[in-house]
Amino acid sequence: MTRSELIRRVAEQNPELEFKVAAKLVAVFFEGISEALARGDRVELRSFGTFWTKEREARIARNPATGAPVSVEAKFLPAFKPGKHLRERLNGHID
């Protein structure tokens, strides 16, 4: 599902909302999650899952074409753990 498909679905399920309002709602939702993760906070959406950041340490990698060592800087990556309800739904236990 793409962002535009999500916006369209929100607008369809809430006919009182204009498409522009649904688009703004989705944008605010994702921006809120992004801002929280950028601050290092955890984002927990009950029954859906939890987002947090992990730090990947600096390391020496190899260029696959030449085999030369390449220095890779430390960085933060988002992580996600699905909630119980989402896991059950994915495995066919909930309709």
Side-chain angles (χ1 to χ4, degrees):
M1 175 179 281
T2 64
R3 181 183 289 244
S4 60
E5 290 170 340
L6 179 59
I7 293 168
R8 186 173 33 253
R9 188 158 180 186
V10 168
E12 287 172 357
Q13 291 185 2
N14 298 281
E16 69 279 3
L17 294 179
E18 293 180 22
F19 187 82
K20 286 182 179 182
V21 174
K24 181 68 174 172
L25 202 114
V26 170
V28 167
F29 178 77
F30 286 127
E31 188 62 29
I33 291 174
S34 297
E35 287 175 0
L37 292 175
R39 286 190 310 266
D41 295 343
R42 252 173 71 122
V43 177
E44 184 176 332
L45 304 172
R46 298 286 170 145
S47 77
F48 183 74
T50 304
F51 296 89
W52 71 95
T53 56
K54 288 185 186 181
E55 184 175 8
R56 180 176 278 181
E57 294 182 2
R59 65 187 195 283
I60 301 295
R62 297 237 172 246
N63 180 331
T66 65
V70 177
S71 177
V72 178
E73 296 179 6
K75 58 184 158 186
F76 288 93
L77 299 171
F80 175 74
K81 180 179 178 185
K84 180 180 176 185
H85 182 78
L86 179 58
R87 282 192 316 270
E88 289 175 349
R89 187 163 200 167
L90 292 175
N91 291 303
H93 300 294
I94 297 176
D95 292 328

Coordinates of all heavy atoms in Angstrom, one line a residue:
M1 N 0.9 -1.2 0.0 CA 0.0 0.0 0.0 C 0.9 1.2 0.0 O 1.8 1.3 0.8 CB -0.9 0.0 1.2 CG -1.7 1.2 1.4 SD -2.8 1.2 2.8 CE -4.1 0.2 2.2
T2 N 0.6 2.2 -0.9 CA 1.4 3.4 -0.9 C 0.7 4.5 -0.1 O -0.5 4.3 0.4 CB 1.5 3.9 -2.4 OG1 0.2 4.2 -2.8 CG2 2.1 2.9 -3.3
R3 N 1.4 5.6 0.1 CA 0.8 6.7 0.9 C -0.5 7.2 0.3 O -1.5 7.4 1.0 CB 1.8 7.8 1.0 CG 1.3 9.0 1.8 CD 2.3 10.1 1.9 NE 3.5 9.8 2.6 CZ 3.8 10.4 3.8 NH1 3.2 11.4 4.2 NH2 4.9 10.0 4.4
S4 N -0.5 7.3 -1.0 CA -1.7 7.8 -1.7 C -2.8 6.8 -1.6 O -4.0 7.3 -1.5 CB -1.4 8.2 -3.2 OG -1.0 7.0 -3.9
E5 N -2.6 5.5 -1.6 CA -3.6 4.6 -1.4 C -4.2 4.6 0.0 O -5.4 4.5 0.2 CB -3.1 3.1 -1.7 CG -2.8 2.9 -3.1 CD -2.1 1.6 -3.4 OE1 -1.4 1.1 -2.4 OE2 -2.1 1.1 -4.5
L6 N -3.3 4.9 1.0 CA -3.7 5.0 2.4 C -4.6 6.3 2.5 O -5.7 6.2 3.2 CB -2.5 5.1 3.3 CG -2.8 5.3 4.8 CD1 -3.7 4.1 5.3 CD2 -1.5 5.4 5.6
I7 N -4.2 7.4 1.9 CA -5.0 8.6 2.0 C -6.4 8.4 1.3 O -7.4 8.8 1.9 CB -4.3 9.8 1.3 CG1 -3.0 10.1 2.0 CG2 -5.2 11.0 1.1 CD1 -2.0 11.0 1.3
R8 N -6.4 7.7 0.2 CA -7.7 7.4 -0.5 C -8.5 6.6 0.4 O -9.8 6.8 0.5 CB -7.4 6.8 -1.8 CG -8.6 6.6 -2.6 CD -8.4 6.0 -4.1 NE -7.3 5.1 -4.2 CZ -6.1 5.5 -4.8 NH1 -5.9 6.7 -5.3 NH2 -5.2 4.6 -4.9
R9 N -8.0 5.6 1.1 CA -8.8 4.7 2.0 C -9.3 5.5 3.2 O -10.5 5.3 3.6 CB -7.9 3.6 2.4 CG -8.7 2.5 3.2 CD -8.0 1.2 3.1 NE -8.8 0.3 3.9 CZ -8.5 -0.9 4.1 NH1 -7.3 -1.4 3.7 NH2 -9.2 -1.7 4.8
V10 N -8.5 6.3 3.8 CA -9.0 7.2 4.9 C -10.1 8.1 4.4 O -11.1 8.2 5.1 CB -7.8 8.0 5.5 CG1 -8.3 9.1 6.4 CG2 -6.8 7.1 6.2
A11 N -10.0 8.7 3.2 CA -11.0 9.5 2.7 C -12.3 8.7 2.4 O -13.4 9.2 2.7 CB -10.5 10.2 1.5
E12 N -12.2 7.5 1.9 CA -13.3 6.7 1.6 C -14.1 6.3 2.8 O -15.3 6.2 2.8 CB -12.9 5.5 0.7 CG -12.5 5.8 -0.7 CD -11.9 4.6 -1.4 OE1 -11.8 3.5 -0.8 OE2 -11.6 4.7 -2.6
Q13 N -13.3 5.9 3.9 CA -14.0 5.4 5.1 C -14.5 6.6 6.0 O -15.2 6.3 6.9 CB -13.0 4.6 5.9 CG -12.7 3.3 5.2 CD -11.8 2.3 6.0 OE1 -11.4 2.6 7.1 NE2 -11.5 1.2 5.5
N14 N -14.1 7.8 5.6 CA -14.6 9.0 6.4 C -15.1 10.0 5.4 O -14.5 11.0 5.1 CB -13.5 9.6 7.2 CG -13.0 8.6 8.2 OD1 -13.6 8.4 9.3 ND2 -11.9 7.9 8.0
P15 N -16.3 9.8 4.8 CA -16.8 10.6 3.7 C -17.0 12.1 4.2 O -17.1 13.0 3.3 CB -18.2 10.0 3.4 CG -18.5 9.0 4.4 CD -17.2 8.7 5.1
E16 N -17.0 12.4 5.5 CA -17.2 13.7 6.0 C -15.9 14.5 5.8 O -15.8 15.7 5.9 CB -17.6 13.8 7.4 CG -16.6 13.3 8.4 CD -16.6 11.8 8.6 OE1 -17.2 11.0 7.9 OE2 -15.8 11.3 9.5
L17 N -14.8 13.8 5.6 CA -13.5 14.4 5.3 C -13.2 14.7 3.9 O -13.4 13.8 3.0 CB -12.3 13.5 5.9 CG -12.2 13.3 7.4 CD1 -11.1 12.4 7.7 CD2 -12.1 14.6 8.1
E18 N -12.7 15.9 3.6 CA -12.3 16.1 2.2 C -11.0 15.4 2.0 O -10.2 15.1 2.9 CB -12.0 17.6 2.0 CG -13.3 18.4 2.0 CD -13.0 19.9 1.8 OE1 -11.9 20.2 1.2 OE2 -13.8 20.7 2.3
F19 N -10.6 15.1 0.7 CA -9.4 14.4 0.4 C -8.2 15.2 0.9 O -7.3 14.5 1.5 CB -9.3 14.3 -1.1 CG -8.1 13.4 -1.6 CD1 -8.2 12.0 -1.5 CD2 -6.9 14.0 -1.9 CE1 -7.1 11.2 -1.9 CE2 -5.8 13.2 -2.3 CZ -6.0 11.8 -2.3
K20 N -8.2 16.5 0.8 CA -7.0 17.3 1.3 C -6.9 17.1 2.9 O -5.8 17.1 3.4 CB -7.2 18.8 1.0 CG -7.0 19.1 -0.4 CD -7.1 20.6 -0.7 CE -6.9 20.9 -2.1 NZ -7.0 22.4 -2.3
V21 N -8.0 17.0 3.6 CA -7.9 16.9 5.0 C -7.4 15.5 5.4 O -6.6 15.3 6.3 CB -9.3 17.1 5.7 CG1 -9.3 16.8 7.1 CG2 -9.8 18.5 5.4
A22 N -7.8 14.5 4.6 CA -7.3 13.1 4.8 C -5.8 13.0 4.5 O -5.1 12.4 5.3 CB -8.1 12.1 3.9
A23 N -5.4 13.7 3.5 CA -4.0 13.8 3.2 C -3.2 14.4 4.3 O -2.1 14.0 4.7 CB -3.7 14.5 1.9
K24 N -3.7 15.5 4.8 CA -3.0 16.2 5.9 C -3.0 15.3 7.2 O -1.9 15.3 7.9 CB -3.7 17.5 6.2 CG -3.2 18.4 7.3 CD -1.8 18.9 6.9 CE -1.3 19.9 8.0 NZ 0.0 20.3 7.7
L25 N -4.0 14.6 7.4 CA -4.1 13.7 8.6 C -3.0 12.6 8.5 O -2.3 12.4 9.5 CB -5.5 13.1 8.6 CG -5.9 12.5 10.0 CD1 -7.1 13.4 10.4 CD2 -6.3 11.1 9.8
V26 N -2.9 12.0 7.3 CA -1.9 11.0 7.1 C -0.5 11.6 7.3 O 0.4 11.0 7.9 CB -2.1 10.3 5.8 CG1 -0.9 9.4 5.5 CG2 -3.4 9.5 5.8
A27 N -0.3 12.8 6.7 CA 1.0 13.4 6.8 C 1.4 13.7 8.2 O 2.6 13.5 8.6 CB 1.0 14.7 5.9
V28 N 0.5 14.2 9.0 CA 0.7 14.5 10.4 C 1.1 13.3 11.2 O 2.0 13.3 12.0 CB -0.5 15.3 11.0 CG1 -0.4 15.3 12.5 CG2 -0.6 16.7 10.4
F29 N 0.4 12.2 10.9 CA 0.6 10.9 11.6 C 2.1 10.4 11.3 O 2.8 10.1 12.3 CB -0.4 9.9 11.1 CG -0.2 8.5 11.6 CD1 -0.6 8.3 12.9 CD2 0.4 7.5 10.9 CE1 -0.5 7.0 13.5 CE2 0.6 6.3 11.4 CZ 0.1 6.0 12.7
F30 N 2.5 10.4 10.1 CA 3.8 10.0 9.7 C 4.9 10.9 10.2 O 6.0 10.5 10.7 CB 4.0 9.7 8.2 CG 3.3 8.5 7.7 CD1 2.4 8.5 6.7 CD2 3.5 7.2 8.3 CE1 1.7 7.4 6.3 CE2 2.9 6.1 7.9 CZ 2.0 6.2 6.9
E31 N 4.6 12.2 10.2 CA 5.6 13.2 10.6 C 5.8 13.0 12.2 O 6.9 13.2 12.7 CB 5.1 14.6 10.3 CG 6.1 15.7 10.6 CD 7.4 15.5 9.8 OE1 7.4 15.0 8.7 OE2 8.5 16.0 10.4
G32 N 4.7 12.8 12.9 CA 4.8 12.6 14.3 C 5.7 11.4 14.7 O 6.5 11.4 15.6
I33 N 5.5 10.3 13.9 CA 6.3 9.1 14.2 C 7.8 9.4 13.8 O 8.7 9.1 14.6 CB 5.8 7.9 13.3 CG1 4.5 7.4 13.9 CG2 6.8 6.8 13.4 CD1 3.8 6.3 13.0
S34 N 8.0 10.1 12.7 CA 9.4 10.4 12.3 C 10.1 11.3 13.3 O 11.2 11.1 13.6 CB 9.4 11.1 10.9 OG 8.8 10.3 9.9
E35 N 9.4 12.3 13.8 CA 9.9 13.3 14.7 C 10.3 12.5 16.0 O 11.3 12.8 16.6 CB 9.0 14.4 15.0 CG 8.9 15.4 13.9 CD 7.9 16.5 14.1 OE1 7.2 16.5 15.2 OE2 7.7 17.4 13.2
A36 N 9.4 11.7 16.5 CA 9.7 10.9 17.7 C 10.9 10.0 17.6 O 11.8 10.0 18.5 CB 8.4 10.1 18.1
L37 N 11.0 9.4 16.5 CA 12.2 8.5 16.2 C 13.5 9.3 16.1 O 14.5 8.9 16.6 CB 12.0 7.7 15.0 CG 10.9 6.6 15.1 CD1 10.7 5.9 13.8 CD2 11.2 5.6 16.2
A38 N 13.4 10.5 15.5 CA 14.6 11.4 15.4 C 15.0 11.8 16.8 O 16.2 12.1 17.0 CB 14.2 12.6 14.5
R39 N 14.1 12.0 17.7 CA 14.5 12.4 19.1 C 15.0 11.2 19.9 O 15.5 11.4 21.0 CB 13.3 13.0 19.8 CG 12.8 14.3 19.4 CD 11.8 14.9 20.4 NE 10.7 14.0 20.6 CZ 9.5 14.0 20.0 NH1 9.3 14.9 19.0 NH2 8.6 13.1 20.3
G40 N 14.9 10.0 19.3 CA 15.3 8.8 20.1 C 14.2 8.2 20.9 O 14.4 7.3 21.7
D41 N 13.0 8.7 20.7 CA 11.8 8.1 21.5 C 11.3 6.8 20.8 O 11.6 6.6 19.6 CB 10.7 9.1 21.5 CG 11.0 10.4 22.3 OD1 12.0 10.4 23.0 OD2 10.3 11.4 22.1
R42 N 10.6 6.0 21.6 CA 9.9 4.9 21.1 C 8.5 5.3 20.7 O 7.9 6.1 21.4 CB 9.8 3.8 22.3 CG 10.6 2.6 22.1 CD 10.5 1.8 23.4 NE 9.2 1.2 23.6 CZ 9.0 -0.1 23.7 NH1 10.0 -0.9 23.8 NH2 7.8 -0.6 23.8
V43 N 8.0 4.6 19.7 CA 6.6 4.9 19.3 C 5.8 3.6 19.4 O 6.2 2.6 18.7 CB 6.5 5.4 17.9 CG1 5.0 5.6 17.5 CG2 7.3 6.7 17.8
E44 N 4.9 3.5 20.3 CA 4.1 2.3 20.5 C 2.7 2.5 20.1 O 2.0 3.3 20.7 CB 4.2 1.8 22.0 CG 3.5 0.5 22.2 CD 3.6 0.1 23.7 OE1 4.6 0.4 24.3 OE2 2.7 -0.6 24.1
L45 N 2.3 1.7 19.1 CA 0.9 1.8 18.6 C 0.2 0.4 19.1 O 0.5 -0.6 18.4 CB 0.8 1.9 17.1 CG 1.6 3.2 16.6 CD1 1.6 3.1 15.1 CD2 0.9 4.4 17.1
R46 N -0.5 0.5 20.1 CA -1.1 -0.7 20.7 C -1.8 -1.6 19.6 O -2.5 -1.1 18.8 CB -2.2 -0.4 21.8 CG -1.6 0.4 22.9 CD -0.8 -0.5 23.8 NE -0.1 0.2 24.8 CZ 0.1 -0.2 26.0 NH1 -0.3 -1.3 26.4 NH2 0.8 0.6 26.8
S47 N -1.6 -2.9 19.7 CA -2.1 -3.9 18.8 C -1.5 -3.9 17.4 O -1.6 -4.8 16.6 CB -3.6 -3.9 18.7 OG -4.1 -2.9 17.9
F48 N -0.7 -2.8 17.1 CA -0.1 -2.7 15.7 C 1.4 -3.1 15.9 O 1.9 -4.0 15.2 CB -0.3 -1.4 15.1 CG 0.3 -1.3 13.7 CD1 -0.3 -1.9 12.7 CD2 1.5 -0.6 13.5 CE1 0.3 -1.8 11.4 CE2 2.1 -0.5 12.3 CZ 1.5 -1.1 11.2
G49 N 2.1 -2.3 16.7 CA 3.5 -2.6 16.9 C 4.3 -1.4 17.5 O 3.7 -0.4 17.8
T50 N 5.6 -1.6 17.6 CA 6.4 -0.6 18.2 C 7.6 -0.3 17.3 O 8.2 -1.2 16.7 CB 7.0 -1.2 19.5 OG1 5.9 -1.6 20.4 CG2 7.9 -0.1 20.3
F51 N 7.9 1.0 17.2 CA 9.0 1.5 16.4 C 10.0 2.1 17.4 O 9.7 2.7 18.4 CB 8.5 2.7 15.5 CG 7.5 2.3 14.4 CD1 6.2 2.4 14.7 CD2 7.9 1.9 13.2 CE1 5.3 2.1 13.7 CE2 7.0 1.6 12.2 CZ 5.7 1.7 12.5
W52 N 11.3 1.9 17.1 CA 12.4 2.5 17.9 C 13.6 2.6 16.9 O 13.6 2.1 15.8 CB 12.7 1.7 19.1 CG 13.3 0.3 18.9 CD1 14.7 0.1 18.9 CD2 12.7 -0.9 18.6 NE1 14.9 -1.3 18.6 CE2 13.7 -1.9 18.4 CE3 11.4 -1.3 18.4 CZ2 13.4 -3.2 18.1 CZ3 11.1 -2.6 18.1 CH2 12.1 -3.5 17.9
T53 N 14.7 3.2 17.4 CA 15.9 3.3 16.6 C 17.0 2.4 17.2 O 17.0 2.2 18.4 CB 16.4 4.7 16.6 OG1 16.6 5.2 17.9 CG2 15.4 5.6 15.8
K54 N 17.8 1.9 16.3 CA 18.9 1.1 16.7 C 20.2 1.8 16.2 O 20.1 2.3 15.1 CB 18.9 -0.3 16.0 CG 17.9 -1.3 16.5 CD 18.1 -2.6 15.8 CE 17.1 -3.6 16.1 NZ 17.4 -4.9 15.4
E55 N 21.3 1.7 16.9 CA 22.5 2.3 16.4 C 23.3 1.1 15.8 O 23.6 0.1 16.4 CB 23.3 2.9 17.5 CG 24.5 3.6 17.0 CD 25.3 4.4 18.0 OE1 25.0 4.3 19.2 OE2 26.3 5.1 17.6
R56 N 23.8 1.4 14.6 CA 24.7 0.4 13.9 C 26.1 1.0 14.1 O 26.3 2.2 13.7 CB 24.3 0.3 12.4 CG 25.3 -0.7 11.7 CD 24.9 -0.9 10.3 NE 23.9 -2.0 10.3 CZ 23.3 -2.4 9.2 NH1 23.7 -1.9 8.0 NH2 22.4 -3.3 9.2
E57 N 27.0 0.3 14.6 CA 28.3 0.8 14.9 C 29.1 0.9 13.6 O 28.8 0.3 12.6 CB 29.1 -0.2 15.8 CG 28.4 -0.3 17.2 CD 29.2 -1.3 18.1 OE1 30.2 -1.8 17.7 OE2 28.8 -1.4 19.2
A58 N 30.1 1.8 13.7 CA 31.0 2.0 12.6 C 31.8 0.7 12.3 O 32.0 -0.1 13.2 CB 32.0 3.1 12.9
R59 N 32.1 0.5 11.0 CA 32.8 -0.8 10.7 C 33.6 -0.6 9.4 O 33.4 0.4 8.7 CB 31.8 -1.9 10.6 CG 30.8 -1.7 9.4 CD 29.7 -2.8 9.5 NE 29.0 -2.9 8.2 CZ 28.1 -2.1 7.8 NH1 27.7 -1.1 8.6 NH2 27.5 -2.3 6.7
I60 N 34.4 -1.6 9.2 CA 35.2 -1.6 7.9 C 34.5 -2.7 7.0 O 34.3 -3.8 7.4 CB 36.6 -2.0 8.1 CG1 37.3 -1.0 9.1 CG2 37.4 -2.1 6.8 CD1 37.4 0.4 8.5
A61 N 34.0 -2.3 5.9 CA 33.4 -3.2 4.9 C 34.3 -3.3 3.7 O 35.4 -2.7 3.6 CB 32.0 -2.6 4.5
R62 N 33.9 -4.1 2.8 CA 34.7 -4.3 1.5 C 33.9 -3.9 0.3 O 32.7 -4.2 0.2 CB 35.1 -5.8 1.4 CG 35.9 -6.3 2.5 CD 37.2 -6.9 1.9 NE 38.1 -7.2 3.0 CZ 39.3 -6.5 3.2 NH1 39.6 -5.6 2.4 NH2 40.1 -6.9 4.2
N63 N 34.5 -3.2 -0.6 CA 33.9 -2.9 -1.9 C 33.8 -4.2 -2.7 O 34.8 -4.9 -2.9 CB 34.8 -1.9 -2.6 CG 34.2 -1.5 -4.0 OD1 33.5 -2.3 -4.6 ND2 34.6 -0.3 -4.4
P64 N 32.6 -4.7 -3.0 CA 32.5 -5.9 -3.7 C 33.2 -6.0 -5.1 O 33.6 -7.1 -5.5 CB 31.0 -6.2 -3.8 CG 30.4 -4.8 -3.6 CD 31.3 -4.0 -2.8
A65 N 33.3 -4.9 -5.7 CA 33.9 -4.9 -7.0 C 35.4 -5.0 -7.0 O 36.0 -5.7 -7.8 CB 33.5 -3.6 -7.8
T66 N 36.0 -4.3 -6.0 CA 37.5 -4.3 -5.9 C 38.1 -5.0 -4.7 O 39.3 -5.3 -4.7 CB 38.0 -2.8 -5.8 OG1 37.5 -2.2 -4.6 CG2 37.5 -2.0 -7.0
G67 N 37.3 -5.3 -3.7 CA 37.8 -5.9 -2.5 C 38.5 -5.0 -1.6 O 39.0 -5.4 -0.5
A68 N 38.5 -3.7 -2.0 CA 39.2 -2.7 -1.1 C 38.4 -2.4 0.1 O 37.2 -2.4 0.1 CB 39.4 -1.4 -1.9
P69 N 39.1 -2.2 1.3 CA 38.3 -1.8 2.5 C 37.7 -0.5 2.4 O 38.3 0.5 1.8 CB 39.4 -1.9 3.6 CG 40.7 -2.0 2.9 CD 40.5 -2.3 1.5
V70 N 36.5 -0.4 2.9 CA 35.7 0.9 2.9 C 35.3 1.2 4.4 O 34.7 0.3 5.0 CB 34.5 0.8 2.0 CG1 33.7 2.1 2.0 CG2 35.0 0.5 0.6
S71 N 35.5 2.4 4.8 CA 35.0 2.7 6.2 C 33.6 3.1 6.1 O 33.2 4.0 5.3 CB 35.9 3.9 6.7 OG 35.4 4.3 7.9
V72 N 32.8 2.5 7.0 CA 31.3 2.8 7.0 C 31.1 3.5 8.4 O 31.4 2.9 9.4 CB 30.5 1.6 6.9 CG1 29.0 1.9 7.0 CG2 30.8 0.9 5.5
E73 N 30.5 4.7 8.4 CA 30.3 5.4 9.6 C 29.1 4.8 10.4 O 28.3 4.1 9.9 CB 29.9 6.9 9.3 CG 31.0 7.7 8.7 CD 30.5 9.1 8.3 OE1 29.4 9.5 8.7 OE2 31.3 9.8 7.7
A74 N 29.1 5.1 11.7 CA 28.0 4.7 12.6 C 26.7 5.4 12.2 O 26.8 6.5 11.7 CB 28.3 5.0 14.0
K75 N 25.6 4.7 12.3 CA 24.3 5.4 12.0 C 23.2 4.8 12.7 O 23.3 3.7 13.3 CB 24.1 5.3 10.5 CG 24.0 3.9 9.9 CD 23.9 3.9 8.4 CE 24.4 2.6 7.8 NZ 24.3 2.7 6.4
F76 N 22.1 5.5 12.8 CA 20.9 5.0 13.4 C 19.9 4.5 12.4 O 19.8 5.1 11.3 CB 20.2 6.1 14.2 CG 21.0 6.5 15.5 CD1 21.9 7.5 15.4 CD2 20.8 5.8 16.6 CE1 22.6 7.9 16.6 CE2 21.5 6.1 17.8 CZ 22.4 7.1 17.8
L77 N 19.3 3.4 12.7 CA 18.3 2.8 11.8 C 17.0 2.6 12.5 O 17.0 2.3 13.7 CB 18.8 1.5 11.2 CG 20.1 1.5 10.4 CD1 20.6 0.1 10.2 CD2 19.9 2.2 9.1
P78 N 15.8 2.8 11.8 CA 14.6 2.5 12.5 C 14.4 1.0 12.6 O 14.9 0.2 11.7 CB 13.5 3.1 11.5 CG 14.2 3.1 10.2 CD 15.7 3.2 10.4
A79 N 13.7 0.5 13.6 CA 13.4 -0.9 13.8 C 11.9 -1.0 14.2 O 11.3 0.0 14.6 CB 14.2 -1.4 15.0
F80 N 11.3 -2.1 13.9 CA 9.9 -2.3 14.1 C 9.6 -3.7 14.7 O 10.2 -4.7 14.1 CB 9.1 -2.1 12.8 CG 7.6 -2.4 13.0 CD1 6.8 -1.6 13.6 CD2 7.1 -3.6 12.4 CE1 5.4 -1.8 13.7 CE2 5.7 -3.9 12.5 CZ 4.9 -3.0 13.2
K81 N 8.8 -3.8 15.7 CA 8.4 -5.1 16.2 C 6.8 -5.1 16.1 O 6.2 -4.3 16.7 CB 8.8 -5.3 17.6 CG 8.4 -6.7 18.2 CD 8.9 -6.9 19.6 CE 8.4 -8.2 20.1 NZ 8.7 -8.4 21.5
P82 N 6.2 -6.1 15.4 CA 4.8 -6.1 15.3 C 4.1 -6.5 16.6 O 4.7 -7.3 17.4 CB 4.5 -7.2 14.2 CG 5.7 -8.0 14.2 CD 6.9 -7.1 14.6
G83 N 3.0 -5.9 16.9 CA 2.2 -6.3 18.0 C 1.5 -7.6 17.9 O 1.4 -8.2 16.8
K84 N 0.9 -8.1 19.0 CA 0.3 -9.4 19.0 C -0.9 -9.5 18.0 O -1.0 -10.4 17.2 CB -0.2 -9.7 20.4 CG -0.9 -11.0 20.5 CD -1.4 -11.3 21.9 CE -2.2 -12.6 22.0 NZ -2.8 -12.7 23.3
H85 N -1.7 -8.4 17.9 CA -2.8 -8.5 17.0 C -2.4 -8.5 15.6 O -3.0 -9.3 14.8 CB -3.7 -7.2 17.3 CG -4.9 -7.2 16.4 ND1 -6.1 -7.9 16.7 CD2 -5.2 -6.5 15.3 CE1 -7.0 -7.7 15.8 NE2 -6.5 -6.8 14.9
L86 N -1.4 -7.8 15.2 CA -0.9 -7.8 13.9 C -0.3 -9.1 13.5 O -0.5 -9.7 12.4 CB 0.2 -6.7 13.7 CG 0.8 -6.6 12.3 CD1 -0.2 -6.4 11.2 CD2 1.8 -5.4 12.3
R87 N 0.5 -9.7 14.4 CA 1.1 -11.0 14.2 C 0.0 -12.1 14.0 O 0.1 -12.9 13.0 CB 2.0 -11.5 15.3 CG 3.3 -10.8 15.4 CD 4.3 -11.5 16.4 NE 3.7 -11.8 17.7 CZ 3.7 -11.0 18.7 NH1 4.2 -9.8 18.6 NH2 3.1 -11.3 19.8
E88 N -1.0 -12.0 14.8 CA -2.1 -13.0 14.7 C -2.8 -12.8 13.3 O -3.2 -13.8 12.7 CB -3.1 -12.9 15.8 CG -2.5 -13.4 17.1 CD -3.4 -13.1 18.3 OE1 -4.4 -12.4 18.2 OE2 -3.1 -13.7 19.4
R89 N -3.1 -11.6 12.9 CA -3.7 -11.3 11.7 C -2.9 -11.8 10.5 O -3.5 -12.4 9.5 CB -4.0 -9.8 11.6 CG -4.9 -9.5 10.4 CD -5.4 -8.1 10.5 NE -6.6 -8.1 9.6 CZ -7.5 -7.2 9.6 NH1 -7.4 -6.2 10.5 NH2 -8.5 -7.2 8.8
L90 N -1.6 -11.6 10.5 CA -0.8 -12.0 9.5 C -0.7 -13.6 9.3 O -0.5 -14.1 8.3 CB 0.7 -11.5 9.6 CG 0.8 -10.0 9.5 CD1 2.3 -9.6 9.8 CD2 0.5 -9.6 8.1
N91 N -0.9 -14.2 10.5 CA -0.8 -15.7 10.5 C -2.2 -16.3 10.4 O -2.4 -17.5 10.6 CB -0.1 -16.2 11.7 CG 1.4 -15.8 11.6 OD1 2.0 -16.2 10.7 ND2 1.8 -15.1 12.6
G92 N -3.2 -15.5 10.0 CA -4.6 -16.1 9.8 C -5.4 -16.4 11.0 O -6.4 -17.2 10.8
H93 N -5.0 -15.9 12.2 CA -5.8 -16.3 13.3 C -7.0 -15.3 13.6 O -7.8 -15.6 14.4 CB -4.9 -16.3 14.6 CG -3.8 -17.3 14.4 ND1 -4.0 -18.7 14.4 CD2 -2.5 -17.2 14.3 CE1 -2.9 -19.3 14.3 NE2 -1.9 -18.4 14.2
I94 N -6.9 -14.1 12.9 CA -8.0 -13.1 13.1 C -8.4 -12.7 11.7 O -7.6 -12.5 10.8 CB -7.5 -11.9 13.8 CG1 -7.1 -12.3 15.2 CG2 -8.5 -10.8 13.9 CD1 -6.5 -11.2 16.1
D95 N -9.7 -12.5 11.5 CA -10.2 -12.1 10.2 C -10.2 -10.6 10.1 O -10.4 -9.8 10.9 CB -11.7 -12.6 10.0 CG -11.6 -14.1 9.8 OD1 -10.6 -14.6 9.3 OD2 -12.6 -14.8 10.2

